[in-house]
Amino acid sequence: MPTWSIFCRVVDNFGDIGVCWRLARQLANEHHLTVTLWVDDLASFAQIRPEIEPDLAQQTLDAVTIKHWPTQWRDTPPASDVVIEAFGCDLPSAYLAQMQQWPTKPIWLNLEYLSAEDWVAGCHGLPSPQMGLNKYFFFPGFSQNTGGLLAERALLTRRAQWRDSDSQQKRRQLAPLLPAESADTRFISLFAYENPALIDWLSALKDSPNPIHLFIPTGKVLPQIAQLLNQPALYVGQVYQYGACHLAILPMLSQDDYDRLLWSCDLNFVRGEDSFVRAQWAGIPMVWQIYPQSENTHLDKLAAFLALYTADLPTQSAAALTAFYQCWNQGGDVAACWSAYCQQRAILQKHAKNWAFRLAEQGDLATNLVKFTQSKLK
Ligand code: TRH
């Protein structure tokens, strides 16, 4: 059975480990590979997968061997057929030296960040021979000639089954203190970085004609919201009322439970990379807060995604969606943009649903990765 090693350095937040864990799990479970995941920060990992024991040097979960990546590299692990360096995390130099001594040279890949920009397809899969080893750049993406997006084989089936089950009841269990919902209650999840637009948006929600149940996993936005609500702090498990809006503060959910939250809402605010992808698979309208980068390079990424995502939308819907995303990421007249966005609700719902089915046609990232390495191992 081919052996794969994935190296993950948690730069900040949860996206790096979120992506690496999904990939490792899928490679082991669906492609039956022997996978070792090296992670430098197990405490962050435990936040999205509570079974992880942060103090263990080695543990096994879902058929993946998880090893702590120590600051000082002391291991001499067995040779691996494939080595993945996630997001340019730089392999330990001692490990690199070991790789050079292995009798069969591994396929060494850098798994890159996701972008919808045009140049991605041209760079995907390019080799970069280094230190006598074959290194390749593997780019996730939205088109056939990229690596695709992470998605388990049964994802859309599980999503449909969840919606057919008593998902409303389960949503209620997430926040038992929420008042009873009515037929016109709208459900929104909010996962975001600190954001100047947040306060204006909440102010607009306050006067919403529909009751709003807003699910907020604990995190970066809480201090801002506490200030708006004149509270010294917000507490997990509590529900706060703000006009038409009830804000339910959730604990950090496991990745699988977070998926189910995304499937249970009418609109999802997401950020970074992994929640952004999962919200697309949810087939429900989403608003994306992109991870800010130096020199505003993230704005090019945002524009590229918007151009792609809105290409098939009627002009007015595309304009409303683009304007609200821009407000959310760069500021602007949030109330006016939100109102215009809400008017396109039905069209955006249909579009989000179709978008997920369209993405499913291009093949998933783990399968593309396996095919890519097989072609290089021949
Ligand atoms: O946490 P993020 O902002 O992560 C990142 C990092 O900043 C990273 O350095 C950067 O490179 C990348 O963005 C672009 O957002 P993201 O990518 O959505 O990752 C969040 C993960 O946390 C995702 O796997 C879903 C998971 N999650 C849970 O498991 N439970 C929760 O309750 C929530 C809100 C998220």
Side-chain angles (χ1 to χ4, degrees):
M1 203 190 303
T3 53
W4 288 46
S5 297
I6 303 174
F7 283 79
C8 174
R9 200 185 287 285
V10 177
V11 178
D12 60 1
N13 306 320
F14 304 103
D16 307 289
I17 185 58
V19 168
C20 290
W21 173 238
R22 280 191 205 287
L23 175 63
R25 189 163 74 160
Q26 195 182 351
L27 290 171
N29 290 283
E30 293 181 10
H31 297 276
H32 310 294
L33 300 163
T34 303
V35 181
T36 303
L37 174 61
W38 293 89
V39 185
D40 69 337
D41 175 359
L42 292 169
S44 290
F45 191 177
Q47 299 254 343
I48 63 165
R49 188 64 206 245
E51 293 90 334
I52 289 292
E53 306 238 19
D55 298 328
L56 289 184
Q58 179 169 334
Q59 54 202 301
T60 303
L61 194 60
D62 295 351
V64 176
T65 302
I66 295 150
K67 289 196 175 198
H68 181 235
W69 174 358
T71 323
Q72 292 297 324
W73 187 261
R74 290 177 296 266
D75 279 271
T76 315
S80 201
D81 297 303
V82 179
V83 175
I84 298 181
E85 183 179 325
F87 311 122
C89 66
D90 286 338
L91 297 177
S93 49
Y95 184 77
L96 262 176
Q98 289 163 8
M99 277 163 68
Q100 287 172 300
Q101 303 306 318
W102 293 346
T104 307
K105 297 285 173 274
I107 303 293
W108 173 17
L109 295 144
N110 191 13
L111 175 64
E112 300 284 345
Y113 285 114
L114 172 64
S115 172
E117 290 163 296
D118 285 343
W119 58 263
V120 165
C123 296
H124 172 59
L126 286 186
S128 161
Q130 281 177 34
M131 307 166 75
L133 296 165
N134 298 320
K135 183 174 183 181
Y136 298 92
F137 295 103
F138 197 90
F139 281 86
F142 297 90
S143 62
Q144 289 288 353
N145 38 11
T146 67
L149 299 175
L150 274 174
E152 314 81 88
R153 205 171 284 151
L155 176 59
L156 295 190
T157 313
R158 280 196 300 117
R159 190 192 74 177
Q161 284 167 347
W162 168 258
R163 289 193 183 140
D164 290 345
S165 72
D166 51 352
S167 54
Q168 288 185 5
Q169 176 68 19
K170 290 182 186 138
R171 183 178 55 206
R172 269 213 72 73
Q173 287 164 3
L174 280 175
L177 297 182
L178 275 172
E181 60 202 55
S182 49
D184 61 347
T185 303
R186 301 258 196 275
F187 301 92
I188 304 179
S189 77
L190 174 67
F191 181 43
Y193 306 115
E194 297 86 349
N195 185 351
L198 176 63
I199 298 307
D200 287 345
W201 176 66
L202 285 172
S203 304
L205 276 197
K206 183 171 162 241
D207 303 322
S208 163
N210 300 80
I212 307 275
H213 287 182
L214 182 60
F215 296 95
I216 311 175
T218 182
K220 291 181 183 286
V221 292
L222 293 197
Q224 252 189 304
I225 302 177
Q227 207 177 5
L228 175 74
L229 302 183
N230 275 323
Q231 299 279 337
L234 301 183
Y235 296 98
V236 167
Q238 292 299 316
V239 170
Y240 302 85
Q241 185 172 4
Y242 188 56
C245 190
H246 282 87
L247 296 81
I249 313 299
L250 305 183
M252 187 79 185
L253 304 171
S254 73
Q255 246 187 357
D256 293 338
D257 282 343
Y258 179 62
D259 267 349
R260 290 188 270 267
L261 174 67
L262 294 175
W263 301 341
S264 308
C265 288
D266 300 306
L267 174 64
N268 294 304
F269 282 71
V270 288
R271 70 183 206 194
E273 178 161 329
D274 191 53
S275 57
F276 166 57
V277 171
R278 300 308 278 190
Q280 291 172 66
W281 288 125
I284 286 166
M286 57 163 190
V287 178
W288 180 33
Q289 187 178 12
I290 191 167
Y291 181 75
Q293 288 174 290
S294 57
E295 292 168 31
N296 282 339
T297 44
H298 61 289
L299 296 181
D300 294 335
K301 273 193 186 180
L302 179 64
F305 175 73
L306 282 170
L308 193 68
Y309 188 76
T310 61
D312 294 341
L313 277 172
T315 316
Q316 224 183 348
S317 314
L321 183 140
T322 303
F324 189 61
Y325 270 54
Q326 282 167 348
C327 264
W328 192 243
N329 284 279
Q330 294 166 267
D333 187 344
V334 177
C337 290
W338 174 242
S339 160
Y341 180 89
C342 291
Q343 281 165 28
Q344 303 301 317
R345 185 168 178 262
I347 294 174
L348 296 179
Q349 271 174 337
K350 198 166 156 214
H351 183 63
K353 198 169 163 187
N354 292 339
W355 178 258
F357 288 123
R358 212 171 93 188
L359 290 180
E361 285 166 10
Q362 67 168 5
D364 70 278
L365 188 139
T367 306
N368 290 336
L369 199 49
V370 170
K371 285 186 187 156
F372 181 82
T373 56
Q374 281 168 346
S375 72
K376 303 296 173 198
L377 282 167
K378 270 182 199 155

